[in-house]
Amino acid sequence: MSGKTALIVLAHQERTSFNYALKEATKAALEKNGWTVLVSDLYEMKFNSVLSRDDITGSPKEPNNFKYGAEMLIAWQEGRLASDIKEEQKKVEKADLVIFQFPLYWFGMPALMKGWVERVFSMGFAYSYQAFYSEGGPFKNKRALLSFTTGGTGEMSSPRGINGDINIFLWPLQNGILNFCGFKVLEPQISFAVAHITQEARVEILKNWERRLETIWDEKPIRYLPVQDFEGLSGGFVLKKEVEEARAAEKYSPTVGQHLGKPLPPDSQVKADCVRL
């Protein structure tokens, strides 16, 4: 792994937080193993998370019919993106691995981090209508993972828990953002109920995370259906009949998203080696 570069995107406002401790542990563990580590501490940077016309410099191509995605594509092609977006895109370009470190807020990323994704992962740079998912998203040679803390216990986010199956609310983050842009998505690092456990337990979480980071590049990514399993644009991008028929006898659905009315595959967004039974 020596010679690799990682980018940690951190979204927590307090340096005394466990998220900050995880960021520090990540940086130290990776550097110990020969990685170059870049950090985007979004609160410290006071990163602007609000999309606007100010995200491009110069005049819009269609000021009276401004379409953010289309204008961002043109601005990216012409080098006219706002300077803060350019700087973050440079970090992503350098990174072999991107780690998103955050507390889970309302079943998703904090607004500041979501805004970073929306502004930095712009059309052209992070995706296009010709290259997305396994078809060859721009980040196809990169890996990414979510490392986050929760307020509740793991049991609360189980298929029988009050929050519901964690695989369901991981799907839009891991498939809809990371896999869509071509990242190889590694297992999430989830630290449950950190505010309600002992200091000794928190130290053990950090140690286990550091051990995982020693071989992080060798991990197998989570499996998603390839673009080739779907009809093209003219067919509405739905699962091909022959693919569906080939899986008809399987107990579980292919994925959380393409569930085909079947039970969801257990732990498919949490464990890369999840076996479809």
Side-chain angles (χ1 to χ4, degrees), residues 188-208:
Q189 182 71 19
I190 309 173
S191 304
F192 288 107
V194 291
H196 308 291
I197 60 177
T198 65
Q199 177 63 16
E200 291 75 17
R202 287 191 285 271
V203 170
E204 189 61 26
I205 289 173
L206 291 173
K207 288 181 179 178
N208 289 336

Side-chain angles (χ1 to χ4, degrees), residues 72-115:
M72 288 290 282
L73 172 60
I74 296 169
W76 173 74
Q77 292 170 334
E78 297 179 353
R80 296 189 295 105
L81 292 176
S83 60
D84 60 340
I85 295 176
K86 284 183 179 180
E87 288 304 309
E88 295 306 294
Q89 289 183 345
K90 288 178 183 177
K91 295 178 187 176
V92 175
E93 286 177 337
K94 293 177 182 177
D96 300 291
L97 171 66
V98 181
I99 299 174
F100 294 86
Q101 183 64 60
F102 60 97
L104 193 71
Y105 287 166
W106 297 108
F107 290 47
M109 294 175 169
L112 184 58
M113 179 173 281
K114 184 58 161 49

Side-chain angles (χ1 to χ4, degrees), residues 53 56-61 80:
R53 292 192 180 199
I56 65 171
T57 60
S59 300
K61 296 299 181 182
R80 296 189 295 105

Side-chain angles (χ1 to χ4, degrees), residues 130-152:
Q130 293 76 39
F132 56 91
Y133 291 120
S134 62
E135 188 64 25
F139 303 154
K140 64 183 179 180
N141 295 320
K142 301 178 184 293
R143 303 184 182 198
L145 68 85
L146 307 178
S147 175
F148 60 91
T149 59
T150 73

Side-chain angles (χ1 to χ4, degrees), residues 47-48 50-57 59-62 66-86 89 115-127:
F47 185 79
N48 173 22
V50 180
L51 284 69
S52 73
R53 292 192 180 199
D54 292 337
D55 289 347
I56 65 171
T57 60
S59 300
K61 296 299 181 182
E62 296 189 50
F66 188 91
K67 296 179 180 178
Y68 185 87
E71 293 286 351
M72 288 290 282
L73 172 60
I74 296 169
W76 173 74
Q77 292 170 334
E78 297 179 353
R80 296 189 295 105
L81 292 176
S83 60
D84 60 340
I85 295 176
K86 284 183 179 180
Q89 289 183 345
W116 183 93
V117 170
E118 291 176 354
R119 294 184 70 227
V120 175
F121 286 1
S122 62
M123 186 182 293
F125 173 71
Y127 69 95

Side-chain angles (χ1 to χ4, degrees), residues 15-271:
R15 291 195 167 213
T16 57
S17 69
F18 193 67
N19 274 274
Y20 194 88
L22 282 162
K23 184 270 290 184
E24 291 286 274
T26 303
K27 187 173 186 294
L30 289 175
E31 289 178 340
K32 181 180 178 181
N33 284 280
W35 288 68
T36 297
V37 180
L38 310 174
V39 177
S40 288
D41 185 337
L42 302 184
Y43 279 95
E44 183 179 56
M45 295 160 59
K46 294 181 171 55
F47 185 79
N48 173 22
S49 62
V50 180
L51 284 69
S52 73
R53 292 192 180 199
D54 292 337
D55 289 347
I56 65 171
T57 60
S59 300
K61 296 299 181 182
E62 296 189 50
N64 297 323
N65 186 28
F66 188 91
K67 296 179 180 178
Y68 185 87
E71 293 286 351
M72 288 290 282
L73 172 60
I74 296 169
W76 173 74
Q77 292 170 334
E78 297 179 353
R80 296 189 295 105
L81 292 176
S83 60
D84 60 340
I85 295 176
K86 284 183 179 180
E87 288 304 309
E88 295 306 294
Q89 289 183 345
K90 288 178 183 177
K91 295 178 187 176
V92 175
E93 286 177 337
K94 293 177 182 177
D96 300 291
L97 171 66
V98 181
I99 299 174
F100 294 86
Q101 183 64 60
F102 60 97
L104 193 71
Y105 287 166
W106 297 108
F107 290 47
M109 294 175 169
L112 184 58
M113 179 173 281
K114 184 58 161 49
W116 183 93
V117 170
E118 291 176 354
R119 294 184 70 227
V120 175
F121 286 1
S122 62
M123 186 182 293
F125 173 71
Y127 69 95
S128 72
Y129 294 131
Q130 293 76 39
F132 56 91
Y133 291 120
S134 62
E135 188 64 25
F139 303 154
K140 64 183 179 180
N141 295 320
K142 301 178 184 293
R143 303 184 182 198
L145 68 85
L146 307 178
S147 175
F148 60 91
T149 59
T150 73
T153 64
E155 290 79 7
M156 292 173 68
S157 296
S158 69
R160 297 176 62 197
I162 193 168
N163 290 337
D165 189 346
I166 195 169
N167 292 277
I168 294 173
F169 51 89
L170 281 175
W171 177 261
L173 299 177
Q174 296 189 156
N175 179 70
I177 297 174
L178 304 181
N179 185 43
F180 181 80
C181 294
F183 282 112
K184 301 296 185 294
V185 185
L186 303 182
E187 294 179 10
Q189 182 71 19
I190 309 173
S191 304
F192 288 107
V194 291
H196 308 291
I197 60 177
T198 65
Q199 177 63 16
E200 291 75 17
R202 287 191 285 271
V203 170
E204 189 61 26
I205 289 173
L206 291 173
K207 288 181 179 178
N208 289 336
W209 175 226
E210 290 167 354
R211 282 192 287 269
R212 181 184 174 190
L213 287 166
E214 291 177 1
T215 56
I216 194 73
W217 191 254
D218 298 325
E219 290 187 1
K220 292 181 179 180
I222 290 171
R223 292 193 299 266
Y224 295 92
L225 293 181
V227 170
Q228 292 76 16
D229 280 1
F230 298 85
E231 301 287 355
L233 178 61
S234 61
F237 287 112
V238 298
L239 201 63
K240 291 178 179 177
K241 288 184 178 180
E242 59 266 31
V243 175
E244 186 173 347
E245 290 170 357
R247 295 174 175 269
E250 295 176 354
K251 179 179 179 181
Y252 294 106
S253 62
T255 71
V256 172
Q258 294 84 29
H259 57 74
L260 305 179
K262 293 183 177 185
L264 301 184
D267 292 333
S268 67
Q269 292 300 294
V270 177
K271 299 292 182 182

